[in-house]
Amino acid sequence: MKRYRVLIVCLAMIVAGCSGGNANSKDRIGGLNRKKVKVEEPTLDDSFEQAMDSYRKFLEEGKDEQGQATAEAMRRLADLQLEAGSGSYDFVKQAQQKKAAQQAAAKAAGKQPVVAQRAAGNAPASEMDPAKFDIMQQSTGVDLGAGSGESQQSFEKRSTQISELTPASAGVVLPPGADQQEAVVNPSTDEAIKLYKKLLEKYPLYERNDQVMYQLARAYEEGGRQEEAKSVLDDLVKQYPQSMHYDEAQFRRGEIFFVRKQYIDSEEAYTHVVKKGVSSEFYDQALFKRGWSLFKQGEYEKGLQDFLVLLDIKTAAGYHIRTEANKTEYQRVEDTLRVVSLSFSYLGDSGYLKSFFDRNGHRNYEYLIYSNLAEHYLEKRRYQDAATTYKAFVASYPLHEKASDYDMRTIEIFRKGQFPQLVIDSKRDFAEKYALNSQYWTYHDINGFPDIVNFIKTNLQDLAKHYHAQSQRERKPEPQQAAYREAARWYRALLSSFPDDVTAPEYNFLLAELLYENKAYQEAAVEYERTAYAYPVHPKSAESGYAAVLAYREYREQSPEHMKAGIYKEMIRSSLQFADTYSEHPKAAAVLVSAAESLYELKEYERATAAAQNLIQRHKKAEPELVTAAWVVVAHSAFELKRYADAEQSYKQVLTLLPPRDERAQAASDKLAASIYKQAEEHQQRGEMDAAVEDYLRIAQAAPQSVIRETAEYDAATTLIKLEKWDQSAAVLQAFRAQHPRSELQFDVTQKLAFVYQQGAKFAEAAQEFERIALQSSDEEMSREALIEAAKLYATTGDYPSAIKVQKEYIRRFPQPVEPALEARHQLVMLYQKSGQSPARTALLKEIVDIDAHAGKQRTDRTRYLAAFAAFDLIDPSLQDFNDARLGEPFQKTLKVKKEKMAHLLKMYGDLADYEVGEMTAAATYRIAGIYYEFSRDLMASERPRNLSPEELEQYELILEEQAYPFEEKAIEVHEKNIELLSAGVFNEWIDKSIRQLGELVPARYGKQEQGEQFVSSIN
């Protein structure tokens, strides 16, 4: 193969140049593998033969028969022998000259060859740069790769011939059929084969045996011995997978397998090359041929993966593939596109093509794939498939620059295939997609597509005329309606695309007529208006303006009620425009009245007022009914515009025009009352409260039967309350209660009266209203609060019987929950105390204690407090009994009784601690200390025995003091327990009392005023 020739000749030059000198054999031969030698272009002279003679002489001498130098010399001699047999001198010169020319051209262009880019780590990206690939697009258009006239068989044979084995920049290509040449006898080549085989046998560990096998395979190929060459290549890839010749050897194996149609084996061989990636010089070629191997196996999708990777590489490199310098690359891209089309044609329809790219990633040259496939189908006269393929691309990329071209191409294909209905359908689809107001033109400059614009205009006119004529011809409803809709559609498209065309008014009027005839009144009205007002005056202007009003009326008649307001809006706008433009028309007055009423219904009150006043002022001879209607519009509009004083006067005018028994009179009266009411609200918003009250109350005179009167009087009372005019507000509320007994506001009136009386210090009246609230309210919580408030108010006036009655009513009605029920009993206890009902009070205290004891989960801190308070009060009679018990004769008997009473008291006060109420605990502690102190004092004050001598009496006194002293100390100790609570942050009146008592009992320790202040300060 020729590449070998270049390599060996260059290598021979290196050897010849290095054969002299005194360096040892290692430096001369083995060292070459470790040195980077710059290979200069050799001068081909007698040095070739000299090198061969030098190696023969060296081998004949046999100085290093077993060494590497001998092996190296044998290899190089075989290499030179092989080149001598192939006669490559002229070829080498030509290759050198061509390579030098290409390198110079690349340098001048400022770019490196692709192989150099890869070596530098700058391999092109897999995705194509659209800017670099523009030349492909511009030069190829829709028909890239199609219409060449080359048959599929010829294409396959040509594109799969034995590939080049050198980088693209070298430009060296093997001759076709080189793998099929017959064995030839060449002494030099045969001698080289013998040398290579001998070298392999004698030096199996020679470090360059992979290169030897590489050359041996080439020698076999030079001699036409393909099977032996393949065998050597098989051994090479097995034994030396790391060899620098590995990828080339695999590629050569793949080529041999491919020619033999052993596609599975060729696929495997090419795969080894592909795995090396872009670092291999044969990567692109291996991708292409592996794709073909898969194609030949019917593995079309797998083959596509390789073809697309190759296209990614080629397009990303930015080749200007139409230039003369890149004919090979262009042919490779074109062939790849064609085989891709073939693959997709075998795999299925265009839907499969889209699915493939969805799964495998989209490419920016995808439009070329679709185009090539479509043109392939067209070449085969598969018109439907060709059109479907173009449509599939447009469906996937509707905004692509080529979409419009492809849709036009589709119409052309259907014309070629003589499918008239499909032509019409495609034209309709095209007109819809590429109308000048479509989304497509937001992505493309319309000025750059004049042919498409002209095609669109002609297309729209043809479609509109076609369907309009068809609509007029049809007699059956469904086809007629379908044709009508299509005609309207294309009229609209034409007008929206070319609104300034001179024929626009004519087409617009025809569209309006078409719509009206088919009872599309709303659309007809719009188009009549456009025809009447959007163009310069023309013969159909006035006719179109009035027709628009009629169309809106027809549309109103046929529409459901919920749509009428919207229709009114359009109708009144059109009516006013018509009246202003054609004021002398005999129907102008009637149109004006209708417009005023419609404007009011659309809440355009200013315009409604203007239209109505225009009628009143300019049409003096109008019918009374029209004048009354105009005043109604003026009054209603004034009310809606919050001009309530004007509304009041206008409603009075309406009432003078209406007959007394006219059913509209009551509505006018209510609106009159509402106008006054709104004036009162405005006064109130401005803080003019007295004026607001006056307005509220004058409604009774202006519109006594108005439904608003009740609300106005209620609001008057509310306003008076805000002014804190308690007597006036009470009077208005009492009058309201009398005049509107069935009003839903009665309960609110009761609440307001309760508040007014309470604020006016009329507590008895307030209490009565609160009782009424409790009786009338359905809200339990409100009833509770009302009864509590009524009881308080009665108590405030000193009416304890009424207060007690209300409190009992509360307890009866609300026994649950426990806490508020006990609270009510506690309040009743105090009322009993104030009214002197001790037995009832005591009974109620016991009830409180009992309820708390059985409260269970409802027991709270508050219930315990109330129960502790009640229990504490219940001890008072026993305390009084203890205090009343005096120590006298017989002393032992009275002492025993006193102690028993004391023990009973101490237990009862001790039990109070169980309530865990701090205040009651402090109170019990204070009382216990007092009991001890009282007992001590009673001992000292007890009656002395009679008939004691002075000495005996003195002894007796001493004994009493000894007996009384511990109880006094005990009292001090217990009081001090209360003081200990101060450190826990607790202070109340009982602790304060203990402090004061200690100041009297132990003045030295607690008697200082500042000490007490310190206690208080510590609490605060």
Side-chain angles (χ1 to χ4, degrees):
M1 312 291 280
K2 292 183 179 180
R3 180 178 181 278
Y4 297 101
R5 297 168 187 167
V6 177
L7 175 63
I8 299 305
V9 171
C10 291
L11 187 59
M13 299 304 102
I14 295 171
V15 174
C18 299
S19 60
N22 299 321
N24 58 40
S25 61
K26 180 176 181 182
D27 291 335
R28 286 187 292 105
I29 299 174
L32 290 175
N33 286 335
R34 297 187 296 274
K35 293 182 180 179
K36 293 183 179 179
V37 180
K38 183 177 181 181
V39 180
E40 301 291 347
E41 295 294 340
T43 301
L44 301 178
D45 50 21
D46 294 339
S47 60
F48 190 86
E49 293 295 337
Q50 291 175 4
M52 290 174 49
D53 290 340
S54 296
Y55 287 132
R56 289 192 189 98
K57 183 179 179 181
F58 178 82
L59 293 173
E60 289 171 359
E61 293 175 353
K63 294 180 180 180
D64 187 26
E65 188 174 351
Q66 300 301 322
Q68 289 290 318
T70 300
E72 184 71 12
M74 188 180 298
R75 179 185 67 79
R76 294 188 179 186
L77 177 59
D79 289 346
L80 294 173
Q81 194 74 45
L82 179 59
E83 294 308 314
S86 61
S88 60
Y89 297 109
D90 293 338
F91 170 79
V92 171
K93 289 180 181 179
Q94 294 171 4
Q96 290 168 350
Q97 292 170 359
K98 186 172 184 179
K99 183 174 182 180
Q102 290 177 338
Q103 289 175 341
K107 183 176 181 181
K111 61 181 286 186
Q112 293 176 299
V114 175
V115 175
Q117 294 180 46
R118 291 173 181 158
N122 297 319
S126 61
E127 287 293 329
M128 178 183 71
D129 183 345
K132 293 179 179 178
F133 204 57
D134 278 347
I135 292 184
M136 176 185 289
Q137 176 180 331
Q138 294 168 6
S139 61
T140 58
V142 175
D143 297 320
L144 179 64
S148 64
E150 183 181 24
S151 68
Q152 182 173 332
Q153 183 178 3
S154 298
F155 164 66
E156 289 187 17
K157 183 177 180 180
R158 175 184 57 76
S159 63
T160 59
Q161 68 184 8
I162 296 178
S163 304
E164 57 183 283
L165 293 183
T166 57
S169 59
V172 181
V173 182
L174 292 173
D179 60 324
Q180 299 174 357
Q181 59 185 311
E182 296 179 359
V184 294
V185 178
N186 187 312
S188 294
T189 302
D190 291 345
E191 183 63 28
I193 290 172
K194 292 176 182 178
L195 284 170
Y196 287 135
K197 293 175 69 176
K198 181 180 179 181
L199 175 57
L200 292 172
E201 293 171 1
K202 190 173 182 180
Y203 301 101
L205 300 180
Y206 175 49
E207 61 183 359
R208 293 191 179 182
N209 273 345
D210 62 324
Q211 187 173 341
V212 172
M213 296 176 75
Y214 173 82
Q215 290 290 81
L216 177 59
R218 190 188 76 78
Y220 280 134
E221 288 184 357
E222 288 284 348
R225 298 158 67 177
Q226 294 298 321
E227 188 60 38
E228 291 168 285
K230 173 184 170 300
S231 177
V232 174
L233 289 172
D234 290 343
D235 292 339
L236 171 59
V237 297
K238 289 178 184 178
Q239 296 176 27
Y240 300 100
Q242 303 302 321
S243 172
M244 63 180 291
H245 304 293
Y246 178 80
D247 54 336
E248 183 177 349
Q250 287 286 18
F251 185 80
R252 290 169 60 194
R253 291 178 69 243
E255 295 287 75
I256 294 170
F257 286 132
F258 191 92
V259 170
R260 296 177 178 183
K261 299 182 180 181
Q262 295 174 249
Y263 299 119
I264 295 177
D265 295 327
S266 65
E267 175 196 350
E268 180 183 2
Y270 292 136
T271 298
H272 287 291
V273 182
V274 171
K275 285 181 179 180
K276 290 198 68 175
V278 295
S279 64
S280 172
E281 299 174 1
F282 309 98
Y283 177 67
D284 294 358
Q285 301 167 72
L287 272 175
F288 184 74
K289 295 303 288 289
R290 187 175 71 172
W292 267 110
S293 297
L294 291 164
F295 181 92
K296 288 295 187 177
Q297 296 175 58
E299 296 284 353
Y300 303 117
E301 182 161 337
K302 289 184 179 179
L304 282 170
Q305 302 289 348
D306 285 346
F307 292 134
L308 290 182
V309 170
L310 182 59
L311 286 175
D312 290 342
I313 293 171
K314 295 301 181 183
T315 55
Y319 289 116
H320 294 184
I321 60 175
R322 282 295 190 188
T323 62
E324 291 297 321
N326 286 293
K327 286 183 177 180
T328 301
E329 291 301 328
Y330 164 71
Q331 189 64 56
R332 174 62 52 78
V333 173
E334 187 173 28
D335 288 348
T336 305
L337 287 170
R338 186 166 181 181
V339 72
V340 166
S341 298
L342 286 172
S343 299
F344 279 120
S345 70
Y346 291 145
L347 282 168
D349 57 18
S350 56
Y352 182 86
L353 192 151
K354 179 182 183 302
S355 171
F356 176 86
F357 283 114
D358 286 343
R359 288 181 283 107
N360 295 279
H362 292 272
R363 269 70 170 179
N364 53 6
Y365 56 83
E366 208 169 305
Y367 69 99
L368 292 171
I369 305 296
Y370 280 86
S371 173
N372 272 266
L373 179 59
E375 295 301 322
H376 169 76
Y377 286 140
L378 183 60
E379 200 171 65
K380 302 296 183 182
R381 297 189 180 183
R382 294 169 60 179
Y383 300 107
Q384 287 282 11
D385 290 335
T388 300
T389 301
Y390 275 126
K391 285 184 175 182
F393 177 81
V394 176
S396 297
Y397 304 99
L399 300 177
H400 195 278
E401 184 178 357
K402 285 292 181 183
S404 56
D405 287 336
Y406 285 4
D407 270 330
M408 288 180 65
R409 183 64 169 159
T410 300
I411 296 172
E412 218 171 298
I413 289 170
F414 284 139
R415 280 179 179 159
K416 286 184 178 181
Q418 298 182 356
F419 300 108
Q421 185 58 48
L422 292 178
V423 170
I424 292 173
D425 293 342
S426 298
K427 285 171 69 70
R428 187 172 65 246
D429 180 64
F430 186 92
E432 183 178 50
K433 287 182 184 176
Y434 307 107
L436 301 189
N437 60 352
S438 69
Q439 186 184 15
Y440 185 80
W441 299 111
T442 63
Y443 292 86
H444 306 287
D445 183 6
I446 196 170
N447 297 318
F449 298 81
D451 293 340
I452 294 177
V453 173
N454 290 332
F455 184 81
I456 290 169
K457 181 178 177 181
T458 304
N459 209 30
L460 291 172
Q461 291 173 343
D462 291 347
L463 287 168
K465 291 176 182 178
H466 169 79
Y467 285 110
H468 197 167
Q470 185 177 347
S471 173
Q472 294 173 345
R473 290 194 301 268
E474 287 290 349
R475 292 293 181 263
K476 295 181 180 180
E478 291 185 8
Q480 192 276 335
Q481 282 296 305
Y484 143 68
R485 286 192 294 271
E486 286 296 312
R489 176 187 181 187
W490 301 120
Y491 275 130
R492 292 184 192 282
L494 177 62
L495 291 170
S496 64
S497 299
F498 305 96
D500 299 325
D501 195 79
V502 293
T503 61
E506 175 190 352
Y507 279 107
N508 214 148
F509 184 78
L510 289 174
L511 172 61
E513 291 283 278
L514 175 72
L515 294 168
Y516 194 92
E517 291 168 3
N518 286 275
K519 299 182 180 181
Y521 297 117
Q522 180 191 26
E523 299 171 79
V526 172
E527 297 306 328
Y528 277 130
E529 284 185 330
R530 184 178 289 113
T531 305
Y533 308 117
Y535 303 105
V537 177
H538 55 88
K540 295 292 184 180
S541 294
E543 180 182 350
S544 298
Y546 186 67
V549 176
L550 297 178
Y552 277 121
R553 289 181 179 176
E554 292 291 343
Y555 179 47
R556 177 185 176 185
E557 290 297 322
Q558 72 169 13
S559 298
E561 191 64 31
H562 71 276
M563 295 178 59
K564 290 188 183 296
I567 300 171
Y568 288 168
K569 182 176 182 179
E570 296 302 310
M571 183 182 70
I572 190 56
R573 178 190 53 74
S574 186
S575 297
L576 288 175
Q577 190 172 12
F578 170 74
D580 289 342
T581 307
Y582 307 103
S583 58
E584 300 302 322
H585 196 279
K587 295 293 184 180
V591 168
L592 193 58
V593 171
S594 177
E597 292 177 338
S598 298
L599 281 169
Y600 174 77
E601 291 180 5
L602 294 174
K603 300 182 180 181
E604 297 186 25
Y605 305 119
E606 293 285 7
R607 296 177 64 200
T609 300
Q613 288 178 340
N614 187 11
L615 177 66
I616 293 169
Q617 294 169 6
R618 295 177 60 186
H619 297 268
K620 302 295 184 180
K621 297 181 180 181
E623 296 180 5
E625 186 65 26
L626 291 178
V627 176
T628 302
W631 274 112
V632 169
V633 170
V634 171
H636 285 349
S637 297
F639 186 89
E640 296 297 336
L641 291 169
K642 300 182 181 180
R643 300 168 185 167
Y644 301 117
D646 293 342
E648 181 181 355
Q649 298 305 317
S650 298
Y651 283 122
K652 288 179 179 179
Q653 185 67 36
V654 170
L655 287 171
T656 61
L657 293 172
L658 289 174
R661 296 182 180 179
D662 193 293
E663 61 181 9
R664 293 173 289 179
Q666 181 60 47
S669 178
D670 288 338
K671 294 295 289 185
L672 173 60
S675 300
I676 299 172
Y677 184 90
K678 289 294 185 180
Q679 293 177 66
E681 287 185 330
E682 288 181 336
H683 283 305
Q684 194 166 357
Q685 291 171 0
R686 293 194 296 266
E688 301 166 355
M689 299 300 184
D690 292 331
V693 171
E694 183 181 350
D695 282 338
Y696 284 135
L697 295 178
R698 75 184 178 90
I699 290 175
Q701 286 75 39
Q705 302 303 318
S706 171
V707 295
I708 298 176
R709 177 183 175 184
E710 178 183 315
T711 302
E713 291 175 352
Y714 178 85
D715 288 346
T718 302
T719 305
L720 288 168
I721 291 172
K722 292 179 180 179
L723 294 172
E724 298 184 359
K725 296 184 177 182
W726 311 122
D727 292 340
Q728 288 179 263
S729 60
V732 173
L733 289 169
Q734 289 289 2
F736 184 97
R737 177 179 282 174
Q739 292 168 5
H740 308 289
R742 297 182 180 179
S743 172
E744 294 179 354
L745 297 172
Q746 282 290 345
F747 183 69
D748 290 336
V749 167
T750 299
Q751 290 180 289
K752 290 187 181 301
L753 276 171
F755 175 77
V756 167
Y757 284 137
Q758 192 174 25
Q759 296 299 314
K762 294 183 178 180
F763 299 125
E765 290 86 344
Q768 291 174 2
E769 295 301 327
F770 276 115
E771 279 196 89
R772 184 173 294 181
I773 290 171
L775 181 64
Q776 294 177 355
S777 177
S778 60
D779 186 335
E780 183 177 296
E781 189 60 30
M782 182 180 287
S783 295
R784 289 174 181 272
E785 293 178 1
L787 286 173
I788 291 171
E789 191 63 29
K792 288 181 181 178
L793 290 170
Y794 279 129
T796 301
T797 63
D799 186 357
Y800 297 123
S802 296
I804 290 170
K805 180 194 70 172
V806 172
Q807 204 68 53
K808 285 183 174 181
E809 176 65 14
Y810 180 94
I811 294 170
R812 183 190 66 80
R813 288 181 59 183
F814 307 110
Q816 293 290 333
V818 169
E819 183 176 317
L822 285 186
E823 197 72 58
R825 285 173 172 81
H826 179 71
Q827 296 298 326
L828 185 55
V829 164
M830 291 189 287
L831 289 172
Y832 280 144
Q833 185 174 2
K834 290 178 180 179
S835 61
Q837 300 183 44
S838 296
R841 179 177 181 276
T842 300
L844 194 56
L845 288 171
K846 292 178 179 179
E847 186 177 337
I848 290 172
V849 172
D850 184 64
I851 290 174
D852 173 71
H854 296 87
K857 292 183 179 180
Q858 291 195 58
R859 197 180 192 203
T860 65
D861 291 343
R862 183 61 181 170
T863 63
R864 285 200 304 273
Y865 175 84
L866 295 175
F869 179 87
F872 185 79
D873 273 6
L874 287 171
I875 300 174
D876 284 350
S878 298
L879 179 62
Q880 186 62 44
D881 188 37
F882 168 77
N883 290 334
D884 291 343
R886 299 298 177 186
L887 295 177
E889 289 296 337
F891 184 77
Q892 294 298 328
K893 183 177 180 180
T894 57
L895 179 61
K896 179 182 179 182
V897 172
K898 188 77 172 180
K899 283 185 175 181
E900 288 175 354
K901 292 182 182 294
M902 184 175 70
H904 180 62
L905 272 176
L906 292 175
K907 182 180 183 308
M908 284 193 291
Y909 282 122
D911 290 343
L912 287 176
D914 294 341
Y915 286 101
E916 298 179 354
V917 177
E919 183 180 353
M920 290 297 101
T921 300
T925 302
Y926 176 80
R927 287 287 176 83
I928 290 170
I931 291 168
Y932 284 124
Y933 182 68
E934 184 65 24
F935 189 77
S936 172
R937 293 183 62 186
D938 283 351
L939 280 176
M940 294 303 299
S942 64
E943 185 180 358
R944 306 299 192 262
R946 299 172 183 170
N947 302 321
L948 290 178
S949 65
E951 293 81 5
E952 290 174 337
L953 181 59
E954 184 178 356
Q955 288 295 323
Y956 187 82
E957 292 287 350
L958 290 173
I959 292 172
L960 281 179
E961 286 181 7
E962 291 176 359
Q963 294 295 321
Y965 179 75
F967 288 102
E968 185 175 337
E969 287 295 314
K970 187 68 173 177
I972 293 170
E973 181 184 343
V974 174
H975 278 306
E976 288 177 337
K977 290 292 185 183
N978 256 354
I979 295 175
E980 290 176 4
L981 294 174
L982 290 171
S983 61
V986 178
F987 181 79
N988 52 51
E989 61 172 321
W990 301 103
I991 295 173
D992 184 57
K993 287 180 179 181
S994 289
I995 292 171
R996 296 180 186 278
Q997 192 65 35
L998 286 170
E1000 295 177 4
L1001 294 174
V1002 193
R1005 198 187 321 169
Y1006 298 103
K1008 296 180 180 179
Q1009 180 64 29
E1010 58 271 20
Q1011 184 68 35
E1013 291 175 356
Q1014 290 175 3
F1015 285 136
V1016 175
S1017 176
S1018 69
I1019 295 169
N1020 294 334

